[in-house]
Amino acid sequence: MTERLCLVHYHEIGLKGKNRGTFENQLVTNLHRALKAYPVSRIARISGYVVVEAEDGQATPEMARAIAKVPGVARVSLAYKCGLDEGEYNAAAVKALGEAGDFQTFKVHARRSSTNYPVHSIDMNHIVGSALCAAFPTKKVEMHNPDVTVVVHVVQGSTFVYAASMPGVGGLPVGTAGKVVTLLSSGFDSPVATWMVGRRGATCIPVHFSGRPMTSDTSEWLCRDIVDALAPAGVVGRMYVVPFGEYQRQISLVVPQSLRIIMYRRVMYRVAERIARLEGAKAIVTGESLGQVASQTLDNIAAVNEGVTMPILRPLIGSDKQEIIRRSQEIGTYDISCETAPDCCTLFMPRRPETHARMREVLAAWDLFDHDAMIDDLVEHVEYQDFSQCPSYHAPKGRLRPHHSELEPADPTPVEGEQDAAEAADKGDAPVAVSSGGASDPVE
């Protein structure tokens, strides 16, 4: 029986020049993680592709679908692997076209690369095309826009033949662009933003601001479900939770009502920045979309940005809600984000939030409470949960303790470097959380 495997295509990785091998190796590592539930015998690089072979020599559509969800994969084909014998690859082409479903027209596209096979690709087109015309006499050859294209590719002493392909998510392999901290809620926006930066090669570390103890922990569990939904892409290595409800209450009692959201966000960003420095992350990611809610006007974005020095990435800044919802459906987070979760963000929202904050007033409100002590206390009581879905994630050496008692404690070695990182102390056992996903959610 002819071996059938998954032939993994990529686009951007092929443009990386001397660094291309690094990207290919990371993609191979990520594919091993994504396919650990499947009987895979080998994942290897060949010229311009990655091949995934099954233990029984028969790769399945389920394997191909799992591969297609891994960032860095542009397309995946179920291909037959043959030798260089004409009869062998002709038979594979007939089999591949026969599995293509309902079609009326087809063409053959033959290629050669990294091989000294003497038959020219034009001659191969004629050879395979003749065999297919004989096997499918009622079908027509169409060189422009055929229903099916049968690809016959000779590479490194083997011939790969396929007609069935499915698109991948594209982008770059997770782990090739460093770490980022993402502000994650159970709403629509921030999960999509997290997925999008992960698709560009970043290892994502979500931070969820929970309403505990002022609200239940429902949003925390929804956020964990979101991380599980993102598991096929392998973008999340660890999720932090920050119980924020009592601190929001304190802020709401002392600052002008119209500036509450901006104060919440400034504290959130400062806490996220501290966690990012502990993790060695280089940026903070949010799910903001310009003008979508009061806190996401240019003036208010500038007022929040002023509180941190780390770059803030906003991959959804030019997207509207319908575009974001469509993307959430594609990545599998939509149904989770549709669920409602009580959160203190809605309890302490102002009736008339400021839409064009003046920096002088923002800084005056910022000085109305001891924000440095608040941030220190929030960081000291931060919680986390690790996930095995991201092979590129490496935990810091901090003394942070997992929020589930059955998990092993972190390395007790003190953090080397900044004092801020050393202040990340032991935490409680409550589960990880994220703020709720309503349109008024400061996290989004």
Side-chain angles (χ1 to χ4, degrees):
M1 182 182 294
T2 305
E3 181 183 5
R4 196 182 201 193
L5 48 73
C6 291
L7 192 64
V8 180
H9 310 250
Y10 49 76
H11 290 162
E12 288 188 64
I13 295 176
L15 306 176
K16 294 302 179 182
K18 294 181 180 180
N19 294 324
R20 176 171 165 176
T22 300
F23 286 82
E24 289 178 334
N25 288 334
Q26 186 65 59
L27 179 58
V28 169
T29 298
N30 295 349
L31 288 172
H32 275 291
R33 188 276 318 165
L35 296 171
K36 62 183 179 181
Y38 296 89
V40 173
S41 63
R42 188 172 78 105
I43 302 177
R45 299 161 51 193
I46 64 172
S47 179
Y49 301 94
V50 173
V51 294
V52 179
E53 300 177 354
E55 290 177 354
D56 62 358
Q58 297 300 305
T60 63
E62 291 74 22
M63 290 174 60
R65 282 191 283 270
I67 292 169
K69 295 177 181 179
V70 177
V73 175
R75 186 161 49 94
V76 56
S77 304
L78 283 169
Y80 290 102
K81 181 181 179 181
C82 313
L84 302 180
D85 178 74
E86 292 180 10
E88 191 176 352
Y89 60 68
N90 279 344
V94 171
K95 185 180 292 186
L97 187 55
E99 296 170 347
D102 186 27
F103 71 96
Q104 295 300 318
T105 60
F106 72 92
K107 78 171 185 179
V108 177
H109 178 59
R111 297 178 57 198
R112 301 179 305 161
S113 59
S114 298
T115 182
N116 50 7
Y117 183 55
V119 181
H120 195 277
S121 57
I122 295 177
D123 296 327
M124 290 180 65
N125 281 330
H126 293 157
I127 293 168
V128 178
S130 297
L132 293 178
C133 287
F136 301 90
T138 63
K139 308 301 182 183
K140 296 181 179 180
V141 176
E142 173 60 59
M143 300 308 296
H144 303 287
N145 301 316
D147 295 331
V148 180
T149 298
V150 178
V151 178
V152 183
H153 191 180
V154 178
V155 54
Q156 295 183 198
S158 298
T159 306
F160 298 92
V161 182
Y162 60 91
S165 293
M166 65 180 67
V169 298
L172 297 169
V174 176
T176 58
K179 287 182 178 181
V180 296
V181 160
T182 73
L183 298 184
L184 180 67
S185 81
S186 59
F188 294 103
D189 302 348
S190 55
V192 173
T194 297
W195 180 87
M196 289 183 70
V197 293
R199 179 176 172 266
R200 297 307 306 164
T203 299
C204 297
I205 305 159
V207 177
H208 176 65
F209 288 85
S210 170
R212 279 191 288 122
M214 310 301 293
T215 67
S216 70
D217 60 359
T218 305
S219 69
E220 305 177 19
W221 296 101
L222 290 178
C223 285
R224 193 166 72 170
D225 290 343
I226 285 171
V227 173
D228 289 339
L230 296 176
V235 299
V236 175
R238 170 180 285 187
M239 182 169 72
Y240 288 90
V241 62
V242 183
F244 192 40
E246 173 58 28
Y247 301 92
Q248 283 187 278
R249 188 188 70 82
Q250 294 175 23
I251 293 171
S252 70
L253 293 175
V254 296
V255 305
Q257 184 181 122
S258 62
L259 296 177
R260 285 180 191 171
I261 297 177
I262 294 175
M263 296 303 108
Y264 299 158
R265 294 178 69 83
R266 284 174 66 96
V267 172
M268 289 176 175
Y269 279 43
R270 289 282 290 272
V271 172
E273 184 177 42
R274 292 273 291 273
I275 293 173
R277 299 207 183 282
L278 168 70
E279 285 279 356
K282 298 299 189 293
I284 298 169
V285 178
T286 78
E288 292 167 303
S289 172
L290 186 61
Q292 184 169 256
V293 292
S295 65
Q296 297 173 16
T297 64
L298 284 178
D299 289 326
N300 289 0
I301 287 173
V304 174
N305 280 9
E306 191 273 340
V308 297
T309 59
M310 184 169 286
I312 300 173
L313 309 181
R314 297 177 171 89
L316 304 181
I317 196 67
S319 301
D320 62 37
K321 199 69 176 183
Q322 294 308 310
E323 292 172 322
I324 296 168
I325 288 175
R326 284 196 296 272
R327 179 68 82 177
S328 73
Q329 292 170 333
E330 293 173 5
I331 66 176
T333 59
Y334 173 80
D335 290 339
I336 303 169
S337 297
C338 284
E339 298 186 37
T340 58
D343 193 281
C344 69
C345 294
T346 56
L347 295 175
F348 298 118
M349 296 299 292
R351 294 179 182 177
R352 291 192 177 91
E354 179 62 66
T355 57
H356 299 287
R358 296 175 177 83
M359 190 60 69
R360 176 170 53 83
E361 296 173 355
V362 169
L363 295 178
W366 186 241
D367 289 335
L368 292 176
F369 62 100
D370 191 347
H371 48 79
D372 287 334
M374 180 178 291
I375 292 163
D376 287 344
D377 199 40
L378 285 165
V379 172
E380 182 174 350
H381 292 89
V382 70
E383 306 157 9
Y384 76 83
Q385 179 178 358
D386 283 330
F387 297 87
S388 61
Q389 59 183 252
C390 184
S392 63
Y393 176 74
H394 301 289
K397 295 181 179 180
R399 297 196 317 122
L400 295 173
R401 188 172 61 205
H403 72 273
H404 275 179
S405 58
E406 67 267 21
L407 297 179
E408 292 294 326
D411 185 347
T413 305
V415 174
E416 299 176 1
E418 298 183 0
Q419 181 63 29
D420 284 354
E423 292 174 359
D426 291 349
K427 309 172 302 303
D429 292 325
V432 177
V434 178
S435 46
S436 65
S440 61
D441 186 351
V443 171
E444 299 282 30

